[in-house]
Amino acid sequence: MTHESSASPLIFGGAAQSPRAALPVLPPLALYIHIPWCVRKCPYCDFNSHTASPVLPEEEYVDALLADLDQDLHAVYGRELSSIFFGGGTPSLFSAAALGRLLKGVEQRIAFASDIEITLEANPGTFEQDKFVAYRALGINRLSIGIQSFQEEKLKALGRIHNGDEAVRAAGMARQAGFDNFNLDLMHGLPDQSLDDALNDLRTAIALKPTHLSWYQLTLEPNTVFWNQPPVLPEDDTLWDIQEAGQALLAEHGYAQYEVSAYAQPGKPARHNLNYWSFGDFIGIGAGAHGKLSHPDGRIVRTWKTRLPKDYLNPAKSFRAGEKALSNDELPFDFLMNALRLTAGVESRLYPERTGLPLESLAEGRREAEQSGLLQVEPSRLAATERGQLFLNDLLQTFLS
């Protein structure tokens, strides 16, 4: 499991109702495919992942994924996919043959953009050179490798199944397999981590020359082992020092921060995740997957699928666990909690284009956020200030009144 592809709905209330227009243009469309199995569940992980049995039900699960997709096709007729993201869990546990059958089935149902980005999450403990050459031959053109740390004691504390040497080798094997675009997933603020520890991890990652780095702080999430048995984490002053020094180091080596925890070489941001953050559309298939689809009449619907793999594979149960059409009250926050994660924000015109609501519906919250120094005073953009990025929750709260 890596951090890169998380997307889930938030609920908003309290804004004044505004008329909603039909959407002039539908946003880009992506596909998220959830593979829910891992070799071992990590103690910090709150994603929908489950310990794999010795034999995975690959064929049955691919059949289910395609059947799941079939039920969503009516809502995306005539559109094409700009990106696909295999998340998990650990999608690289699946064979190239299974993923190949799945991709072929998807392409038979929805057209692929000529420059489609197809990302696969992988963990170093599941790297096999032949397998990754085969993945590349399928058209998968981007990897996201879950490193988290290169230091043995930190990996052990995080419950990871790989060691530091395997992590280094994984990046080399990715490049040898033909992947010239790959992300490394790295955590900081780890148990007993010092500033030097954190910077050494970053230096090791940078030396491997990934095109993208997801670098984010370990947080203790409910329903995890760490939540119930919290480890000793660094003091706030150390966390702040790590954040400042790490961002400076990344910038020095050409990694521009374009989102809260995402850093990329020029031209290499994660297109799939940019689509999430700019309020694009995505189909979600697989156990526990979330989706968001816009309709020409202005309806915007969030969906979520049956969470447990055994239920998802049960023909007697529905793939779809629920859906919710976002109300006018919910849309402003739902849009902004994504868009304001981007360091450059988004063009103001995107708000009416993607929500069907007039830009004036944000006017009161916008004035308050600008006066508080949390939102840039820039009519053509919706973008947080540096202070707003540090206090994103406070910034979002200004749009709740």
Side-chain angles (χ1 to χ4, degrees):
M1 188 278 296
T2 77
H3 174 77
E4 215 195 2
S5 67
S6 56
S8 58
L10 290 183
I11 303 303
F12 166 78
Q17 287 288 325
S18 303
R20 195 191 304 179
L23 299 181
V25 179
L26 292 176
L29 178 67
L31 174 65
Y32 175 75
I33 302 172
H34 192 74
I35 310 289
W37 292 283
C38 281
V39 174
R40 184 199 303 166
K41 179 84 171 178
C42 296
Y44 58 84
C45 177
D46 69 336
F47 282 26
N48 184 31
S49 59
H50 305 265
T51 302
S53 58
V55 179
L56 288 173
E58 284 190 341
E59 293 300 309
E60 297 91 334
Y61 197 70
V62 169
D63 289 342
L65 288 168
L66 293 173
D68 186 359
L69 180 59
D70 283 337
Q71 294 186 6
D72 285 339
L73 286 181
H74 69 281
V76 297
Y77 180 75
R79 299 170 72 179
E80 68 175 21
L81 290 176
S82 61
S83 65
I84 297 173
F85 198 106
F86 289 92
T90 306
S92 54
L93 290 177
F94 267 36
S95 68
L99 296 185
R101 184 165 76 88
L102 176 56
L103 281 172
K104 183 177 180 181
V106 172
E107 191 169 15
Q108 288 170 344
R109 290 161 169 81
I110 313 179
F112 286 10
S114 59
D115 61 345
I116 190 168
E117 175 193 270
I118 305 178
T119 301
L120 179 83
E121 287 187 341
N123 286 331
T126 64
F127 259 76
E128 301 168 27
Q129 186 66 34
D130 290 346
K131 187 192 250 188
F132 282 82
V133 170
Y135 287 155
R136 186 67 189 88
L138 297 176
I140 295 169
N141 52 20
R142 185 174 181 275
L143 288 180
S144 181
I145 306 171
I147 301 290
Q148 314 316 351
S149 176
F150 294 93
Q151 297 166 34
E152 301 303 318
E153 69 278 8
K154 300 296 185 284
L155 289 168
K156 192 171 292 185
L158 293 172
R160 303 297 287 173
I161 64 169
H162 67 272
N163 60 40
D165 289 343
E166 287 174 321
V168 170
R169 283 200 301 272
M173 286 165 56
R175 190 171 279 107
Q176 289 167 22
F179 289 96
D180 57 3
N181 189 14
F182 65 92
N183 169 67
L184 297 183
D185 218 57
L186 208 61
M187 284 184 178
H188 60 88
L190 304 181
D192 299 315
Q193 188 178 48
S194 67
L195 173 61
D196 284 345
D197 288 339
L199 293 182
N200 284 337
D201 267 348
L202 262 185
R203 290 189 187 98
T204 303
I206 290 167
L208 297 173
K209 295 183 167 47
T211 49
H212 190 284
L213 274 161
S214 296
W215 187 63
Y216 58 99
Q217 185 179 321
L218 171 64
T219 54
L220 305 185
E221 302 291 350
N223 303 313
T224 65
V225 172
F226 274 4
W227 181 264
N228 295 312
Q229 302 168 33
V232 177
L233 300 181
E235 299 288 340
D236 286 346
D237 286 350
T238 302
L239 292 173
W240 181 252
D241 290 344
I242 289 171
Q243 186 75 33
E244 280 199 318
Q247 288 178 329
L249 182 64
L250 286 161
E252 179 188 336
H253 287 86
Y255 292 91
Q257 182 182 16
Y258 68 96
E259 188 266 346
V260 171
S261 59
Y263 303 78
Q265 293 284 359
K268 295 298 185 180
R271 283 168 44 198
H272 186 87
N273 286 346
L274 273 177
N275 188 52
Y276 287 150
W277 296 321
S278 57
F279 214 57
D281 279 356
F282 54 98
I283 306 167
I285 59 173
H290 288 265
K292 175 230 164 204
L293 291 175
S294 305
H295 299 264
D297 62 7
R299 285 180 304 119
I300 298 174
V301 180
R302 294 255 185 211
T303 62
W304 52 98
K305 302 298 172 65
T306 297
R307 184 174 174 83
L308 292 177
K310 67 180 180 64
D311 292 335
Y312 185 82
L313 290 170
N314 184 345
K317 294 183 181 289
S318 172
F319 293 123
R320 183 169 293 192
E323 64 178 64
K324 177 179 177 54
L326 296 175
S327 70
N328 289 8
D329 281 350
E330 294 165 324
L331 271 170
F333 189 86
D334 209 73
F335 177 91
L336 291 169
M337 70 96 181
N338 286 288
L340 294 179
R341 290 181 63 92
L342 294 168
T343 54
V346 295
E347 293 183 40
S348 298
R349 64 169 178 78
L350 207 63
Y351 178 74
E353 280 183 18
R354 299 278 162 97
T355 67
L357 295 173
L359 191 59
E360 294 73 33
S361 65
L362 295 178
E364 186 177 339
R366 199 170 183 177
R367 275 193 301 273
E368 183 184 339
E370 288 172 352
Q371 289 167 3
S372 302
L374 299 174
L375 195 72
Q376 292 182 24
V377 182
E378 176 54 68
S380 65
R381 295 199 74 77
L382 291 163
T385 61
E386 285 189 21
R387 183 166 178 266
Q389 290 167 22
L390 293 173
F391 299 100
L392 195 55
N393 287 340
D394 293 340
L395 170 54
L396 293 170
Q397 287 295 316
T398 62
F399 293 93
L400 285 169
S401 55

